[in-house]
Amino acid sequence: MQETDTQRLEEARDVVISALAQSMVAYGVTPSVGRIYAVLYFSASPLTLDDIKDEVAMSKASVSTGVRELIDTGMVVKVWKKGDRKDHYIAEKDFFKNFLSFMVKMLRLERGIIHKAVEQTEPVMREIANHGADSDIRELAAKDQALVSGSKAYLRWIMQLANAMESGEIFEHFPRPECDEPPSGHEPIQENIKHGYK
């Protein structure tokens, strides 16, 4: 029996949903949580937890946990729907925004962790390097201090990068494509990439 256009479209959508679910690993979420995002991505209207549960064949508790993870990353937003007490959710469908939000969060997290460690340890290393009783330990402490101090340039750079992403300045160096229209299908994929298609 010949497939209908509806069936073919559903199959095509399933392929994209599967790809999105797998690619979400790069954003620190499991493929099952990524599938929740993918379902919301294709939804024309906000969905409840029950709606999502039916689509992804997961327990409501797992869906609830997954939605919270996606809200934390900024990839899903809770919305109010008039006349309904249940919470509804929509996906942020702008991949550029998703990427930048996630990267800014990760860069600031990395910077905060390393900066705190440097603040705690650099004075100790400097004090041992300058006043340690053993010359070998003084030399080792001086080398360690140099390594730790050298990380400060990296910390400044990742903050500059995070700020550029947050402000949109990053697009001055790596412009966002003007055209978001999908390719016609007649161009080779290399050309599609070169022209900025996703």
Side-chain angles (χ1 to χ4, degrees):
M1 191 171 89
Q2 191 172 8
E3 285 187 307
T4 65
D5 287 343
T6 301
Q7 289 171 321
R8 292 173 61 216
L9 182 58
E10 285 178 358
E11 288 172 4
R13 181 178 282 191
D14 284 343
V15 170
V16 178
I17 286 175
S18 180
L20 286 173
Q22 293 173 57
S23 72
M24 288 296 106
V25 173
Y27 291 88
V29 299
T30 62
S32 58
V33 175
R35 192 165 186 82
I36 294 171
Y37 170 79
V39 165
L40 287 167
Y41 177 81
F42 274 112
S43 178
S45 58
L47 300 179
T48 66
L49 292 178
D50 287 320
D51 295 331
I52 299 167
K53 175 178 70 72
D54 293 341
E55 290 287 333
V56 298
M58 293 165 59
S59 71
K60 190 170 181 179
S62 296
V63 169
S64 179
T65 301
V67 166
R68 280 199 303 272
E69 282 185 48
L70 292 166
I71 288 173
D72 288 343
T73 65
M75 299 176 77
V76 165
V77 178
K78 182 163 63 174
V79 295
W80 176 77
K81 197 170 182 181
K82 188 176 180 180
D84 196 334
R85 292 182 180 180
K86 291 183 179 180
D87 291 328
H88 290 71
Y89 304 91
I90 58 172
E92 171 55 67
K93 299 184 181 185
D94 185 334
F95 287 152
F96 292 93
K97 187 174 180 180
N98 284 338
F99 173 79
L100 293 178
S101 296
F102 177 79
M103 289 306 300
V104 167
K105 181 181 178 181
M106 292 298 102
L107 289 171
R108 293 195 188 283
L109 176 63
E110 180 186 6
R111 190 262 180 191
I113 293 170
I114 297 175
H115 179 71
K116 185 176 181 181
V118 170
E119 280 192 326
Q120 288 177 341
T121 59
E122 191 177 31
V124 175
M125 293 172 179
R126 184 185 302 112
E127 195 267 328
I128 295 171
N130 292 332
H131 307 293
D134 185 282
S135 61
D136 289 340
I137 296 298
R138 287 199 304 271
E139 184 179 347
L140 186 59
K143 288 178 180 177
D144 285 355
Q145 186 200 340
L147 281 173
V148 168
S149 296
S151 70
K152 291 179 180 178
Y154 170 70
L155 296 180
R156 287 193 298 271
W157 180 79
I158 63 172
M159 282 307 294
Q160 289 174 334
L161 180 59
N163 291 338
M165 288 180 168
E166 205 164 47
S167 69
E169 181 190 340
I170 191 77
F171 293 121
E172 295 174 15
H173 307 284
F174 296 93
R176 181 173 175 153
E178 293 287 333
C179 177
D180 282 337
E181 290 297 315
S184 65
H186 299 298
E187 298 176 356
I189 192 165
Q190 292 86 351
E191 285 298 302
N192 294 343
I193 293 169
K194 186 168 71 177
H195 293 322
Y197 295 117
K198 294 195 277 286

